[in-house]
Structure formats: structure tokens, C-alpha cells
Amino acid sequence: MTPGHEAGGVPLPCAPSFRAPRRPPEALGRTFCTKAHPRLDILCHAEAPVRFAPDTELPDPFDGLLASDATALAHVHACLGCPLRVEGTLIGLLTADARDPRAFEQVDAATLSWLGALAGAAVRTSQLIDALEHSAERLGLVADDLRRAAERERGASLLGTSPAMQRLRDEIALVGPSDLTVLITGETGVGKELVARAVHAASRRRGEPLLHVNCAALPESVAESELFGHVRGAFTGAEQSRPGKLEVADKGTLLLDEIGELPLSIQPKLLRALQEGEVQRVGADRSLRVDVRVVAATNRDIEREVAEGRFRADLFHRLNVYRLAVPPLRERRSDIPLLAGHFCDEARARLGVGPVRLTKAARELLAGGAWPGNVRELENTVFRMVLQASRGVPRGAPVVVKPAHLGVEVAAAAEPAPREDDGEKAPLNEQVDAFQRGLIEKAVAQADGNWAAAARSLGMHRSNLHHLAKRLGLR
């Protein structure tokens, strides 16, 4: 700003000899409505710079806002203004006041027009830079989340041919494209996060990010900032503004894992965000609209949590639009060999060993395990037993996993295998037929008599199963 002038915008090319009156700091927080300020209204509709007559009766919008003399602009004074337009759009005003009524007589209108054009371009450029910085910040946060997610989900997918897993896939295919809020329930280790990723992959948002928030890992002191973001100075340590996960996940999907662990104090604000589609950063005075699909997951009995007052009923009903119950491993034992084989391949790649093979006895022991930790426990066990079995095996040589490598805990938790009679053993072909007959009968029973589902659970084509069952006298 040049000496002797009170200007709104950029400096003006004139320099009277007296000192400039300054505005108090609170003036920067004022909002000026054109309906209440006729001079500003005239400038907003003008196509060129406007120089007001020194003795005009129109009130000056900045009157009373000079720190040195609150009444200076109530008297006769010089005033001019210029609309700042970019491609015909008004983006701001450049105004100047001087207590000397003749201070702007030497200001050339053409020069002022050029100055207004330059100022408008500068303001527009500044706005674009701010927008680009905000976009870059958001994309950077998205990239960080996606990188961590890629590390977590590397090689992970919904595996299994059991009827329970097929029903789950059918449910995912139904709800995925609907954009409804989904609540995923299931025991620890069943793969709730994989189900959430499958829901996102089946949705119309699959081209946008899927972000993950572990509510159990959020201390109450930072949970609000993590979900909704904060502005600079909102609390001690908030050195810069930061968007929350709901804002970063705009247009995409947000997985709220372990939602039952979310602090009660945060739940009302999350409910409002889900209902209104708006988030408000901590310390901010305005809300931002977001378009986010929420998928929540929990291993708790959420209805009991509501009944005992540890979870808000209104938030539960807002999340429980469509529920997906992930079956525990004990309800889909026919998937255990498939999962074990998959984990053997992963162990081979990550441990750098040769081909991994499970003996029949090892497979039977795994299939009979209790697996209270479900798929995650099975994965850890397979990795551990492959490592044990690779002890002393030359690099690149086959690794054969036997029951002795499974550990005492797994062996003790397994269902006891049928004991053979002490008498003379049946011929091998009869033992094989009896074993196949037992597997088929069990698979059909688990599929409630559905032979097609039984064939899928056994990894066979339906016609081949019918032929085999007929030969074994089951059809």
C-alpha cells in the first residue's frame, strides 16, 4: 500500500506526502454486503474503474475502520475503485481512499485498468495455486493410504468354495453396486477387511480410493482430528491444517474397522456426517460437503453394545443398513485345504524356500483344528510350520510339511482322526472308496442335499461327482 492511502487490494501508483492511516486487525475479518454498501455495489457492476466525487453522499464502506482516525472517511475525501475480472467473471475489487480530496486527480484511468487486470490475474493465480495445493495434499494422503493398503492386501483375496463362502460372494455382488452403507460382522481373523475390499471392488466407486481407519487404534484425544481433520492452531501441536479421512475419501469408500471401539464422544459427530454428508474440521467455522460410502466392520456383538450403552443406537441403525456376516472357519472346514495351499505358496515366496508340500496327515490335522483365530490363525500357523519344515533343507529343494511341524497347540486342538481296527486291513481300493464315500456324504450333508454346492466344495465338476457317487453306490 502506498503512503497516504487506505486501499483494498494491491498498491496504487500515487504517493501523497502524509502517512497512511491503518486499519485495526479486526477489520480484516469483516464481510461487506453490496446491498448495504452502495459504493461496492456500483463497483461490482462496473466494467471500468470508478472515481467517486469527493463530496458524494454515498457512505464509504470503510468508514470507522481506520485505527488512527475512526471518523476520517466520514468527511469529504478521495475514493476510487476498480472491479477485478478474469474472463468476464468478477473475482474481487480494488479500492483506495485518501483523506486529501484531490489525491487521485493525477491517476490515469487506463493505468488503473491495466493495474486492475494484473491484480485480477494475480488473485486468480493465487486461487488456482491454493486449489492445486489442496488437491495435491489430498492426493498425497490418498497415495499414502493406498500404498499402505497395497502392502496389507498383497496377495489377499476371498478364497473358498464352500457354500458359506459362495453365499457371502452372492451377498457382496448384490450390495456392492447399491452404494448402501454396509456393516460387516464376524469373529476376529475371519477376513472382514477383505470383504470390505470386495464390496468396494464391486461398487461404482472402485476407481476411487478405499481408505482404512482402525477405530480401535484411535485414542480419544486424536480420533476427532483423524476422522474430520483440523485447522491450524486448533489445538496444541496443530502446526498446519490437515483434512480428515472422511474428507480425503471424498467420492470413494471409507472402511471404519472395529467400529465398536469408537469413543462415545465421537459417535454423534460421525452420525451427523453420515446423515448430512458434511464434515467440519476441528477448529473450523464452516462445514464441507463430502460424498463418501462408509463400510463399517466389528467383531463385537454390536446389539449387546447398544443395549449396554456402549454404542449409540441411532449410529448403529445408520450403519446397519445392510449387514454381511462373515462365517468363521469352523463353518467352512472344506475351505481349509485350499487356504492352506494358498498360504504355503505365500510362505514359499516370502521365506525364499523351494516348493512346499503338505502331507496327507498334515492336511487332515489342519482340517480338524479348532481355529479360534480363524483364517488369520491358520495363515500364521502355515507360515510357522513351513519355516520349521525348511530347517536344514537345501535352498530350492522341496519342503515337506508333516504333523510334527504343526506344533503341540494345533495338534491338541484338532479333532481326533478315526482309529483303525486292530484286525486285518481292507484292500487299498476299498479303503480309498470308503474314504471318498465319506467325503461325499459329508459334503452333501453340509450343502443340505445340494449336489451342485457339494461339487463346488469338493472342487469337482458336478457331472464328475454324479458319476463317482453312482460308482460308489450313493446315487
Side-chain angles (χ1 to χ4, degrees):
M1 186 182 302
T2 53
H5 293 81
E6 184 68 17
V10 296
L12 291 178
C14 47
S17 59
F18 45 83
R19 292 180 58 83
R22 295 185 177 182
R23 299 178 189 170
E26 63 269 18
L28 298 178
R30 298 291 185 89
T31 300
F32 299 93
C33 176
T34 57
K35 293 182 179 180
H37 300 289
R39 294 199 196 197
L40 297 183
D41 187 57
I42 292 172
L43 292 175
C44 287
H45 292 88
E47 297 295 333
V50 177
R51 183 184 286 108
F52 294 96
D55 58 350
T56 179
E57 295 182 357
L58 297 177
D60 194 294
F62 304 117
D63 186 25
L65 297 181
L66 302 186
S68 58
D69 185 356
T71 63
L73 300 184
H75 310 297
V76 174
H77 65 284
C79 177
L80 60 77
C82 179
L84 305 183
R85 299 183 185 275
V86 175
E87 297 180 353
T89 301
L90 181 70
I91 63 170
L93 298 175
L94 175 67
T95 64
D97 292 286
R99 285 176 292 189
D100 181 356
R102 301 190 305 172
F104 301 140
E105 288 183 355
Q106 304 302 318
V107 176
D108 181 62
T111 302
L112 187 58
S113 296
W114 298 336
L115 185 60
L118 291 174
V123 171
R124 182 58 175 165
T125 301
S126 177
Q127 292 174 341
L128 290 174
I129 291 174
D130 289 343
L132 288 173
E133 288 179 346
H134 179 270
S135 177
E137 180 185 18
R138 176 181 178 272
L139 291 176
L141 293 172
V142 169
D144 289 342
D145 274 74
L146 292 180
R147 176 181 52 79
R148 290 191 292 268
E151 293 174 354
R152 288 197 303 269
E153 70 175 345
R154 184 168 47 198
S157 59
L158 283 176
L159 297 177
T161 58
S162 63
M165 286 302 294
Q166 188 56 49
R167 286 193 295 270
L168 180 60
R169 287 195 187 91
D170 292 342
E171 293 292 306
I172 292 172
L174 176 65
V175 73
S178 68
D179 219 26
L180 296 178
T181 302
V182 177
L183 178 62
I184 303 172
T185 59
E187 299 176 5
T188 297
V190 294
K192 295 184 292 295
E193 184 175 345
L194 292 181
V195 173
R197 296 188 181 281
V199 170
H200 177 69
S203 73
R204 293 185 292 270
R205 299 172 182 260
R206 55 183 171 272
E208 299 293 334
L210 166 65
L211 302 189
H212 177 275
V213 175
N214 185 355
C215 298
L218 291 179
E220 187 170 357
S221 58
V222 301
E224 186 175 7
S225 173
E226 183 70 15
L227 288 174
F228 307 106
H230 63 260
V231 298
R232 181 180 180 182
F235 49 83
T236 303
E239 298 180 356
Q240 61 183 5
S241 297
R242 180 178 182 274
K245 287 296 177 67
L246 280 162
E247 187 177 341
V248 175
D250 189 32
K251 303 297 188 298
T253 304
L254 180 65
L255 169 59
L256 298 176
D257 201 5
E258 303 299 344
I259 188 65
E261 308 282 347
L262 189 68
L264 267 173
S265 60
I266 308 299
Q267 293 180 22
K269 192 168 184 179
L270 175 60
L271 175 63
R272 181 180 180 276
L274 296 179
Q275 289 178 336
E276 306 297 333
E278 294 182 346
V279 296
Q280 185 171 347
R281 295 185 182 183
V282 178
D285 56 2
R286 64 187 182 92
S287 298
L288 301 172
R289 292 204 62 81
V290 293
D291 175 19
V292 179
R293 182 185 193 179
V294 170
V295 176
T298 182
N299 61 1
R300 290 192 175 190
D301 184 344
I302 197 71
E303 284 90 350
R304 177 179 294 179
E305 297 294 307
V306 172
E308 296 180 359
R310 291 191 292 269
F311 199 87
R312 290 179 62 102
D314 47 5
L315 179 57
F316 165 67
H317 293 303
R318 184 64 184 79
L319 294 171
N320 192 34
V321 179
Y322 197 97
R323 184 179 298 200
L324 292 175
V326 186
L329 194 55
R330 62 180 175 274
E331 293 182 4
R332 53 186 189 108
R333 290 187 179 277
S334 60
D335 290 333
I336 292 179
L338 185 153
L339 290 167
H342 172 73
F343 295 141
C344 282
D345 285 343
E346 281 199 341
R348 174 189 178 184
R350 292 174 61 180
L351 298 177
V353 299
V356 178
R357 183 173 67 84
L358 289 168
T359 65
K360 177 183 177 182
R363 286 196 302 271
E364 292 177 349
L365 197 59
L366 287 174
W371 305 117
N374 293 289
V375 179
R376 186 181 298 124
E377 183 186 4
L378 174 64
E379 178 184 14
N380 294 337
T381 300
V382 170
F383 270 72
R384 184 168 60 247
M385 69 186 190
V386 171
L387 183 62
Q388 290 286 347
S390 66
R391 190 196 306 269
V393 177
R395 186 175 182 83
V399 175
V400 180
V401 180
K402 302 176 181 179
H405 301 127
L406 301 184
V408 178
E409 294 180 359
V410 176
E415 297 177 353
R419 299 183 61 183
E420 298 191 48
D421 295 333
D422 295 333
E424 185 179 352
K425 295 182 180 179
L428 177 61
N429 63 331
E430 293 183 11
Q431 293 185 53
V432 172
D433 288 350
F435 179 72
Q436 289 180 327
R437 190 180 293 110
L439 286 180
I440 294 173
E441 289 176 339
K442 182 178 180 181
V444 173
Q446 289 179 340
D448 296 327
N450 187 326
W451 283 79
R456 287 194 297 269
S457 69
L458 293 170
M460 300 177 64
H461 193 277
R462 182 174 56 184
S463 61
N464 292 339
L465 177 60
H466 283 300
H467 290 311
L468 179 59
K470 185 175 181 180
R471 186 181 68 79
L472 295 174
L474 296 176
R475 297 280 298 185

